[in-house]
Amino acid sequence: MWPSVENSARGRSGEGGTLGAILRDRRLPHRLYALTAGHAVGADPGTTAGDVIAFADSSGQLQFAGGLVDWAPTFPPDAKTGAVDAAIVLVAQEDLRDLAMQSALWPVGAAIARSGDALRLLTSDRGPVDGSAQNSVAVSVRVEAGGPAYTLSPVQAWHAPGGTQGGDSGGAVWNDQDQLVGIHGGIRLGDPAQPFFIPLNTILRD
């Protein structure tokens, strides 16, 4: 299971989140970033670059931290529609040694999900959640009940019969070839509620 994520500087806002991936800076290969959902670490309006972001697995044996570099959306959200709900956290390579030894947690590559592709979400507190990709959509979401809603578009809907839950945001979404296709964004408002993910190519492009 992937580590959970929390902004230690601001306390837990909403449900927290889950680590989605470790990214390497192409221009500076020694520099590594942890990827998660933006609202999982940046929902507090006082969030600033450099906030300490803590990562820990459910056993407590795997723990590390890093400094928040960038995130979107900012809170409270404005009226603009964006495509990204993501955050990157600068982490030290030596702090990832234990994580690096868990080969089952590492994808074999990256891909673009097509409608109908089999998917699975890696969670921080239970086993994988299986599902399938659907079409690109616009979603209206909010971090907490009664909080301001914001719109993300385009993102990709997916069907998860087992259901997702609070704290899954930012978790890695893989296809059945063990390729990373995106990070879980949450559940859109409406009836029926619809899980969605932010495609990895959208995050890397923006």
Side-chain angles (χ1 to χ4, degrees):
M1 291 182 285
W2 272 114
S4 62
V5 179
E6 180 178 349
N7 188 330
S8 298
R10 306 295 158 186
R12 182 173 291 274
S13 297
E15 300 284 353
T18 301
L19 174 65
I22 301 296
L23 306 178
R24 186 181 298 276
D25 191 321
R26 289 183 177 178
R27 295 169 297 179
L28 300 169
H30 64 281
R31 186 169 293 179
L32 301 177
Y33 300 98
L35 174 67
T36 188
H39 73 265
V41 296
D44 188 308
T47 300
T48 61
D51 278 358
V52 175
I53 309 301
F55 301 85
D57 68 0
S58 57
S59 70
Q61 296 180 348
L62 176 61
Q63 299 184 46
F64 60 95
L68 181 62
V69 175
D70 198 8
W71 69 100
T74 55
F75 289 82
D78 58 26
K80 295 180 181 179
T81 297
V84 173
D85 186 334
I88 54 172
V89 179
L90 183 64
V91 291
Q93 185 167 338
E94 56 268 25
D95 291 340
L96 300 179
R97 289 173 182 165
D98 290 341
L99 183 64
M101 294 175 63
Q102 301 185 43
S103 59
L105 296 180
W106 295 93
V108 299
I112 296 174
R114 309 295 182 185
S115 182
D117 284 356
L119 302 177
R120 70 178 181 276
L121 167 67
L122 303 186
T123 69
S124 63
D125 58 358
R126 62 200 192 284
V129 175
D130 294 326
S132 58
Q134 298 184 326
N135 295 325
S136 294
V137 294
V139 298
S140 180
V141 293
R142 58 170 49 98
V143 176
E144 296 178 321
Y150 56 99
T151 301
L152 295 170
S153 178
V155 296
Q156 193 154 1
W158 70 293
H159 177 59
T164 63
Q165 63 187 36
D168 289 341
S169 295
V173 179
W174 289 7
N175 63 17
D176 59 0
Q177 302 299 309
D178 291 344
Q179 296 169 313
L180 178 67
V181 298
I183 60 172
H184 181 61
I187 302 291
R188 74 172 181 180
L189 301 174
D191 186 15
Q194 175 73 60
F196 65 92
F197 67 91
I198 315 298
L200 182 63
N201 64 317
T202 299
I203 296 169
L204 297 180
R205 182 177 66 242
D206 290 8

